[in-house]
Amino acid sequence: SGFPSVVKESLLKLGVPSAVLEFLFGWLYNHGDCPKIPEAKGSVNAIRNEAFFIPLYELYLRYGGIFRLNFGPKSFLIVSDPSISKHILKDNSKAYSKGILAEILEFVMGKGLIPADGEIWRVRRRAIVPSLHQKYVAAMINLFGQATDRLCNKLDVAASDGEDVEMESLFSRLTLDIIGKAVFNYDFDSLTNDTGIVEAVYTVLREAEDRSVAPIPIWEIPIWKDISPRQKKVSAALKLINDVLDDLIAICKRMVDEEELQFHEEYMNEQDPSILHFLLASGDDVSSKQLRDDLMTMLIAGHETSAAVLTWTFYLLSKEPRVMSKLQEEVDAVLGDRFPRIEDMKKLKYATRVINESLRLYPQPPVLIRRSLVDDVLGKYPIKRGEDIFISVWNLHRSPKLWDEADMFKPERWPLDGPNPNETNQNFSYLPFGGGPRKCVGDLFASYETVVALAMLVRRFDFQMALGAPPVEMTTGATIHTTAGLKMTVTRRVKPPIVPALEMPTLGMDAPICLS
Ligand code: HEM
């Protein structure tokens, strides 16, 4: 695109009308030497009914690593190629914004870190990343343990009563309880209670998901907001959440004013290790609206994603008893019957591979969204500014060209003593947390959170699909959900857990013991 655009610019300066130039150069693009991106035909209707990334997979097999999909007047580029993904996310990331995603999420996240672009994003990313330091993540291990323990107690009751449980909603509550404490020191306690605030969070989440798959943005019609009962409910929920956030910010400000702790790199208040507390103590100079946007963004980003990872991991495990046994063996040997600690994270190698592999088969979210801010070249194809692009992580992660037995759940595909797989060591064919400057800031947090929950749950229980449970099918909003829940039968494990010999001398000193 370099040479033609120089000629075009010069002609424009010489006074040639731009309409004439557009026509001429448009013709050149379409009829000149520039290769044209393959255009997918048909299949568009199917996209509205099922999880939309499924038909995109079929189209990928037919049209390859980049193709165009026309959708009425709209058109999208679908990218499923590792090197083009790397170009967009990393090498030339400055040339792309969040596009449609930012438009859809504006009502709930405002200019929070996920939708923000340009200068606002740069400033906020620099303020937030330091809050997730090593010491913070290590402190979070206790929180993950306590929250999962509450879930275990709940499952214990179900196991005694012989009642089946719907795990997807329980995982959603587990991760909501965790992220509320972790981000702004609020205990939703949603595993036990259905308070107004919990309901408000779900109202807003469901709205965000529906908007992201709705063909027409009716909520943009001005009066609609005031007359639609549903939009009124959404506004009320948002107001409730914002009021709670304002209160939490005020309470936290008071705590920071009263404390004597000096702010430093690994600063953490032991009573309140939350990200909010770190940000306020750091003297982060930010408007309260921006702060609320960032808190809300992290609440949503860290909630549904982790819940979906756990849901699909347990689904996969129910299909592969061999993997489950191997996992339980490792957890028995490493943890025995105590709560996980930071040192265990390195030792729970197979558990980590199970999560790595679950994230390959069920990436959350299944597509990443971008918009080109300038003309660019993707692979061999020149593209214009303003193109809406979907990077299909689902396609990358299930490509028969990139993976051996791509559809199989095989944690063994990654050696236990090898590096943890990430976008860099897998050359952008594996993107569980994205890549480049906009990579997830919560990747380590989320890995530990899911490993702790997984380990503690399989240590105490066996999980099977419930008899007569509805078939587990996928639907999608921001993350991949089941269509009818994940109904499981939970039984207490009969084998008494083996307490590892090395831990014997410290038993009962610094970790709760419950030999049953
Ligand atoms: C961004 C995945 C948990 C906060 C992202 C992105 C992915 C991702 C793929 C990149 C999005 C893009 O490039 O368009 C996940 C998964 C999680 C998880 C799979 C759980 C298993 C978390 C948690 C937090 C978090 C726990 C907060 C503590 C964020 C934020 C961004 C982000 C703030 C935006 C970063 C930026 O644009 O600079 N996440 N995430 N995520 N994630 Fe996560």
Side-chain angles (χ1 to χ4, degrees):
S1 64
F3 181 67
S5 66
V6 172
V7 176
K8 194 168 153 188
E9 228 119 86
S10 316
L11 289 174
L12 197 66
K13 280 193 195 127
L14 287 172
V16 181
S18 64
V20 174
L21 288 176
E22 286 304 325
F23 175 78
L24 264 173
F25 281 84
W27 186 84
L28 242 179
Y29 264 116
N30 293 328
H31 300 87
D33 290 337
C34 299
K36 215 167 160 259
I37 296 175
E39 234 172 80
K41 306 259 187 276
S43 299
V44 172
N45 275 340
I47 289 173
R48 291 199 182 155
N49 303 325
E50 54 184 327
F52 69 92
F53 51 88
I54 299 297
L56 294 187
Y57 182 75
E58 300 301 319
L59 294 174
Y60 157 59
L61 296 180
R62 225 159 92 211
Y63 295 98
I66 176 166
F67 62 88
R68 183 180 295 285
L69 187 66
N70 293 315
F71 214 13
K74 288 193 199 163
S75 140
F76 300 91
L77 294 180
I78 313 296
V79 170
S80 321
D81 174 87
S83 77
I84 299 178
S85 305
K86 178 161 179 274
H87 175 85
I88 296 169
L89 295 175
K90 186 163 179 233
D91 301 336
N92 200 25
S93 63
K94 284 209 170 72
Y96 295 87
S97 73
K98 290 281 175 114
I100 306 174
L101 186 84
E103 289 161 14
I104 291 169
L105 294 178
E106 149 81 39
F107 84 102
V108 46
M109 295 188 188
K111 300 240 174 304
L113 198 54
I114 285 185
D117 282 308
E119 188 59 12
I120 296 185
W121 168 76
R122 211 179 51 77
V123 170
R124 296 315 297 153
R125 173 110 187 172
R126 197 181 282 170
I128 289 167
V129 166
S131 71
L132 289 118
H133 54 67
Q134 287 278 327
K135 199 173 144 199
Y136 168 78
V137 176
M140 289 299 109
I141 305 273
N142 291 330
L143 169 64
F144 304 154
Q146 285 156 13
T148 309
D149 195 48
R150 284 199 232 170
L151 175 56
C152 285
N153 293 339
K154 209 168 162 121
L155 294 181
D156 222 32
V157 175
S160 299
D161 297 352
E163 266 178 31
D164 293 337
V165 281
E166 202 287 280
M167 293 303 293
E168 186 173 35
S169 63
L170 290 176
F171 285 139
S172 176
R173 284 159 186 274
L174 170 70
T175 59
L176 178 62
D177 286 356
I178 290 175
I179 203 74
K181 273 305 263 185
V183 174
F184 37 70
N185 194 28
Y186 184 77
D187 192 1
F188 284 104
D189 196 13
S190 68
L191 275 168
T192 343
N193 291 312
D194 251 324
T195 52
I197 180 78
V198 170
E199 203 199 315
V201 169
Y202 285 107
T203 301
V204 169
L205 279 176
R206 231 169 291 125
E207 179 67 13
E209 299 216 305
D210 287 352
R211 288 189 184 194
S212 45
V213 291
I216 307 163
I218 39 168
W219 58 86
E220 278 175 11
I221 305 167
I223 12 164
W224 187 256
K225 282 202 273 296
D226 306 322
I227 55 166
S228 145
R230 176 171 169 152
Q231 292 307 313
K232 273 199 213 154
K233 193 172 168 206
V234 171
S235 305
L238 274 172
K239 174 152 181 359
L240 178 60
I241 299 171
N242 280 335
D243 289 349
V244 170
L245 286 179
D246 281 340
D247 285 349
L248 291 170
I249 293 172
I251 293 169
C252 190
K253 272 196 176 130
R254 245 174 284 143
M255 271 178 92
V256 169
D257 285 345
E258 281 162 19
E259 79 190 10
E260 270 152 30
L261 226 51
Q262 274 294 313
F263 187 78
H264 57 100
E265 215 167 83
E266 289 223 313
Y267 164 93
M268 195 179 81
N269 180 306
E270 304 281 341
Q271 269 78 55
D272 171 12
S274 71
I275 293 177
L276 171 62
H277 200 109
F278 179 99
L279 291 175
L280 291 176
S282 74
D284 183 23
D285 180 24
V286 66
S287 71
S288 50
K289 163 86 170 88
Q290 180 67 47
L291 187 54
R292 263 191 344 221
D293 286 351
D294 286 325
L295 297 177
M296 190 75 139
T297 299
M298 281 185 276
L299 175 70
I300 296 178
H303 168 212
E304 291 279 273
T305 43
S306 302
V309 173
L310 287 169
T311 300
W312 292 106
T313 302
F314 277 76
Y315 169 72
L316 288 165
L317 287 170
S318 76
K319 304 268 164 223
E320 293 286 347
R322 179 194 62 82
V323 176
M324 182 60 135
S325 311
K326 201 167 155 185
L327 174 63
Q328 286 175 324
E329 225 164 85
E330 178 185 84
V331 176
D332 288 348
V334 173
L335 290 182
D337 224 352
R338 61 172 174 74
F339 276 63
R341 307 179 191 132
I342 184 78
E343 313 87 80
D344 298 317
M345 297 302 103
K346 283 196 291 289
K347 298 183 198 152
L348 291 168
K349 290 181 182 180
Y350 192 67
T352 306
R353 293 293 173 264
V354 166
I355 297 293
N356 297 146
E357 181 70 345
S358 166
L359 269 165
R360 185 182 67 82
L361 286 170
Y362 295 93
Q364 313 293 346
V367 298
L368 301 178
I369 299 176
R370 292 293 187 274
R371 180 177 292 155
S372 58
L373 294 169
V374 291
D375 295 358
D376 194 12
V377 180
L378 296 182
K380 57 183 180 197
Y381 305 109
I383 64 153
K384 295 279 206 186
R385 65 171 288 194
E387 289 277 16
D388 284 313
I389 301 170
F390 286 6
I391 297 174
S392 173
V393 183
W394 176 275
N395 288 353
L396 283 166
H397 285 192
R398 291 191 179 233
S399 167
K401 281 186 238 153
L402 300 169
W403 306 93
D404 183 37
E405 296 188 286
D407 287 337
M408 294 279 288
F409 177 52
K410 281 201 310 190
E412 287 76 11
R413 72 175 70 239
W414 287 297
L416 283 191
D417 288 313
N420 277 334
N422 60 35
E423 76 287 3
T424 309
N425 61 33
Q426 303 297 309
N427 287 317
F428 278 70
S429 52
Y430 180 66
L431 300 174
F433 295 105
R438 309 242 21 189
K439 183 175 173 173
C440 180
V441 301
D443 58 342
L444 192 62
F445 180 111
S447 304
Y448 289 170
E449 177 190 19
T450 47
V451 166
V452 166
L454 173 66
M456 288 180 69
L457 287 165
V458 305
R459 183 180 70 190
R460 288 202 25 201
F461 303 100
D462 282 315
F463 294 83
Q464 260 141 358
M465 292 304 296
L467 274 177
V472 178
E473 282 161 11
M474 293 181 288
T475 176
T476 185
T479 55
I480 310 172
H481 296 277
T482 70
T483 45
L486 181 67
K487 201 121 193 253
M488 299 191 108
T489 303
V490 180
T491 42
R492 252 181 243 115
R493 283 179 70 203
V494 281
K495 202 171 118 209
I498 308 149
V499 179
L502 274 177
E503 299 293 340
M504 282 305 221
T506 63
L507 276 188
M509 310 259 298
D510 52 357
I513 302 294
C514 46
L515 286 173
S516 47

